């Protein structure tokens, strides 16, 4: 049987330990090609490079556990996927996996996520796609406990296919042992309570650092946040048709057109 | 009666004619404060500035038709909204409007849109929000025919409120006269057929320019693309809960957990 072709990317950059762990796991399931940013792209959302040039080159990061083919790219995660599909791969990949992100992309974080933007970009192009994230921002995070679940989810996705118009957002709790299981969830309602720290530069110019605190607004036990809090892996099927269909009738009652 | 407080932003930058047109229209409806990027941010998706500094300063762009208070910000559209809400405004705005974008944000373009990311950011923070875009990429685009509809939509949103968890994505057809009316729509299915143009730099390094063609995959007459093609303004209620609820039962049938 022909091995599946697996496109691997991320947003922390091509040398990130989370990407290297994902490559190692994917090497067991198929033929792996990596196209990943040459520098960290966290918080890039679904940015693309339109008024600037893109560079890409073949690289070897790890002779032992790397992928047979790896390319670094100067662009965003969404750029990497576009470039891979259009210029680098000679056939459509069977699946695109992005991550494993160093840090959570659960709940509202999906909106800001470069990891998920790569997966969504692949999904828009009709390729089954999954973003993986570990709720541990450390560069030295321990990805080992996630790898069995990662392989299981990718295998099942290759076997069953992912529903059309949908990509999977998978988050792992920070754990030293294997998670308690895998739960299919909805995105928890939440936002960030921002804080800006104002500082003054040596030349007297004011500037800000953005930071904030995650604020969960959702007590449901069917959410990704709940699953993660209980030691489970959360899987949220995520769509890129953003239409709020339920809101259409209400807005149709507005006086928008001259009568 | 107290005039509504209107936060205005965009992604083409604080000097863009589309923003200046929106300010002019909003000055008729309420007290306007502008917080907008100091340089163009198109294609930034929902990027935020996390590992870098943000600058912001009070500016005067236009003595006659400008807003009473304007700030430029070195960050992305989402940063502008965060900074406005947290640091600049002393009370919650009654509405946040973003645009008018020079170019379409209909259909799948919403995913890449800096204009809409500002509106979505405000929506996440619980503020009624609308993104406006004109299907004309030119810097000299004619915004005049859009302004009556812009004022009507904002007035109705202030009167009725926007359904919770929803922001409006409004697109205008490129027209020399007033549009045929306003239609509430769903997001049309579409993607971009990418093309990368490969070039070689003077120093012999290969690089790419990204371009592409919009590919409509949807023949429905209830979509934004259809409305725009018929000379109507399209209004898509857009949500930031990305959960594909309909896909949950299907994925629950996968063998994800040991039995």
């Amino acid at each position: 049987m022909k091995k599946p072709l697996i496109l691997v990317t991320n947003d922390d950059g091509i040398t990130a330990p989370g990407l290297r762990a994902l490559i190692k796991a994917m090497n067991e399931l198929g033929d792996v090609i990596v196209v990943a940013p040459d520098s960290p792209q966290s918080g890039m959302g679904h940015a693309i490079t339109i008024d600037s040039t893109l560079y890409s080159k073949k690289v070897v990061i790890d002779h032992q556990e790397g992928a047979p083919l790896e390319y670094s790219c100067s662009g965003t995660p969404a750029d990497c996927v576009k470039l891979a599909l259009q210029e680098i791969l000679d056939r459509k990949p069977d699946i695109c996996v992005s991550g494993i992100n160093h840090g959570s992309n659960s709940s509202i974080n999906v909106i800001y996520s470069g990891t998920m933007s790569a997966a969504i970009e692949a999904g828009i192009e009709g390729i089954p796609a999954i973003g993986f994230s570990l709720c541990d921002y450390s560069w030295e995070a321990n990805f080992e406990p996630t790898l069995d679940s990662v392989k299981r989810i990718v295998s099942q996705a290759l076997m069953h296919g992912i529903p059309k118009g949908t990509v999977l957002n998978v988050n792992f709790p920070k754990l030293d042992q294997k998670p308690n299981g895998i739960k299919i969830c909805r995105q928890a309602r939440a936002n960030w309570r921002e804080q800006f720290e104002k500082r003054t530069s040596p030349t007297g110019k004011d500037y800000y650092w953005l930071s904030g605190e995650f604020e969960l607004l959702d007590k449901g036990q069917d959410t990704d946040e709940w699953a993660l809090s209980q030691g489970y892996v959360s899987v949220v099927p995520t769509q890129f048709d953003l239409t709020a269909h339920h809101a259409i009738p209400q807005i149709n009652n507005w006086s928008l057109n001259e009568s």
Side-chain angles (χ1 to χ4, degrees), chain A residues 28-119:
Chain A
E28 294 180 34
L29 299 182
D31 293 323
V32 176
I33 294 185
V34 178
V35 183
D38 58 13
S39 62
Q41 299 281 327
S42 293
M44 281 306 280
H46 208 103
I48 49 171
T49 302
I50 20 186
D51 275 332
S52 179
T53 54
L54 271 182
Y55 291 89
S56 173
K57 63 176 181 198
K58 218 161 150 174
V59 291
V60 176
I61 307 290
D62 178 339
H63 282 276
Q64 304 207 310
E65 296 188 318
L69 263 178
E70 298 200 35
Y71 296 82
S72 72
C73 168
S74 62
T76 65
D79 289 330
C80 289
V81 170
K82 285 179 185 288
L83 195 71
L85 298 180
Q86 199 59 35
E87 287 288 317
I88 294 173
L89 299 176
D90 52 14
R91 64 182 177 97
K92 221 172 165 169
D94 295 288
I95 198 162
C96 170
V97 292
S98 176
I100 302 170
N101 191 56
H102 294 241
S104 168
N105 281 314
S106 61
S107 182
I108 196 65
N109 299 310
V110 67
I111 293 276
Y112 308 97
S113 165
T115 304
M116 281 304 294
S117 86

Side-chain angles (χ1 to χ4, degrees), chain A residues 102-164:
Chain A
H102 294 241
S104 168
N105 281 314
S106 61
S107 182
I108 196 65
N109 299 310
V110 67
I111 293 276
Y112 308 97
S113 165
T115 304
M116 281 304 294
S117 86
I120 288 172
E121 186 59 43
I124 291 171
E125 309 246 4
I127 292 152
I130 309 175
F132 292 102
S133 307
L134 173 62
C135 296
D136 183 347
Y137 290 88
S138 159
W139 199 251
E140 290 78 29
N142 179 15
F143 291 96
E144 205 53 44
T146 71
L147 298 184
D148 276 354
S149 302
V150 166
K151 283 183 275 185
R152 191 181 274 258
I153 292 167
V154 173
S155 300
Q156 288 287 306
L158 285 166
M159 184 183 304
H160 296 284
I162 295 177
K164 216 180 148 185

